[in-house]
Amino acid sequence: MTQDRTDLAPWQWPDQHWRGIVERVRAGRALRPREWPGGARCAVALSFDSDHDTTDLREGGQSIGRLSQGQYGNRQGVPRILEILARYGVQTSFYVPAVTALLYPDEQRRVIAEGHEIGIHGWIHERNSELPPQAERDLQMRAADVLERIAGVRPVGIRTPSWDFTPHTLAITREMGLIYDSSLMADVDCYELLMDGAPTGVVELPVEWIRDDAVYFNMNRNASLRPHTAPADVFDIFKREFDAAYREGGLFQLTMHPHISGYRSRIWILDELIRHMRAHAGVWFATHADVVRHAKAHAA
Ligand SMILES: [Zn+2]
């Protein structure tokens, strides 16, 4: 592990120091399969981060108003999403903080019963980089236990809350025997994660803020900043990401939030996007876990 060199400015760092920082966690071999199951041309991995009330709680917030927006995610957001997924028969992945699962256990059981995957998403959506390493490890392990106890299925993958990844996260993930992470951004295809230059066997299924509804729709009420990206424009961005993935024969991954996209004026984006994708021949819709398993087993 690289020592902190707070005594030096970055421009003074010896080469081995900045190289050590870069190489803590790095993309290794690409895991782009020769073909997708059934001879499909393109894989689609849709995901939903059920943050709900934890977006306020993790800040120490006790705002009844903001917590009610979190509850909307449970009462309206998830049901609207599940209804669309069931209509098209599409399997996806949900990333759920333990506190969300404890608040809404029936929601998690329904998600599993309808054929979707549930992955780890922290305890209370904490920012890992603010925690002592021991606390990060403890919370990640307890979160997996809570999800297993409530949903009845042991998670095999993790998405770190806010994609906040520490120098310790990958070691914890490997120690837990998880098969994948979905929090990093080094590629459009799956890849094997390296830790200090050595292969870990843990697969990354990469995300990107570009393919995340939160960056387009979140607002800060006090700064009088309103959402400035129109839903039609967000749809256009997601559609172009898919269209290019289809042309390239690759993977299209998307992150949405029930408490952000589960609204009457936005939920159509998901509906329309699935309809658009299904109009193409050879599109394989799968959970993140299934995409990772296939990519790892059939890497070109
Ligand atoms: Zn989240």
Side-chain angles (χ1 to χ4, degrees), residues 48-52 54-55 58 95-97 121-122 125 159-163 212 255-257 259:
F48 305 91
D49 294 2
S50 301
D51 300 340
H52 298 359
T54 64
T55 54
R58 71 107 169 253
Y95 296 92
V96 182
H121 197 46
H125 213 276
R159 170 167 296 157
T160 61
S162 304
W163 303 341
D212 184 329
T255 301
M256 299 179 105
H257 297 75
H259 74 286

Side-chain angles (χ1 to χ4, degrees), residues 7 20 23 47 84 108 177 197 199 205:
D7 55 322
E23 289 183 352
S47 62
I84 291 171
Q108 314 322 317
L205 198 168

